[in-house]
Amino acid sequence: MAGSSHGHTPAAWTGVIISFIGFCIAGLFMVAANTLGFWAGVAVAILGGVVGLAMKMAGLGMPKESEEMAAARARAAQAQITA
């Protein structure tokens, strides 16, 4: 996977960081037995996904792969298997 740039975009990093913070908030308030704080953390985690998707739609994510590039990638993978 080192040859691909899977997930190395501003949209991916931002979405994951916000979601991680939301999971931390939810975990903290779950241990503290605070229902409202737990659901606020869940909301922040969901917000991370929404922000990441919005940033991807704004052009900060991975560009769509062309048919030609997908075919070349499949040929290269097949060549590695048979070699």
Side-chain angles (χ1 to χ4, degrees), residues 5-83:
S5 59
H6 176 76
H8 298 286
T9 64
W13 279 99
T14 304
V16 168
I17 289 170
I18 293 172
S19 294
F20 179 72
I21 291 169
F23 281 114
C24 290
I25 292 169
L28 175 72
F29 282 107
M30 183 172 62
V31 171
N34 183 325
T35 307
L36 184 61
F38 168 77
W39 286 111
V42 170
V44 171
I46 292 170
L47 179 67
V50 172
V51 168
L53 182 61
M55 289 179 70
K56 179 182 177 186
M57 292 172 61
L60 295 172
M62 290 291 294
K64 291 260 184 198
E65 189 173 62
S66 69
E67 292 291 326
E68 181 180 317
M69 183 62 94
R73 185 180 309 278
R75 285 191 306 273
Q78 188 61 32
Q80 285 183 341
I81 292 171
T82 58

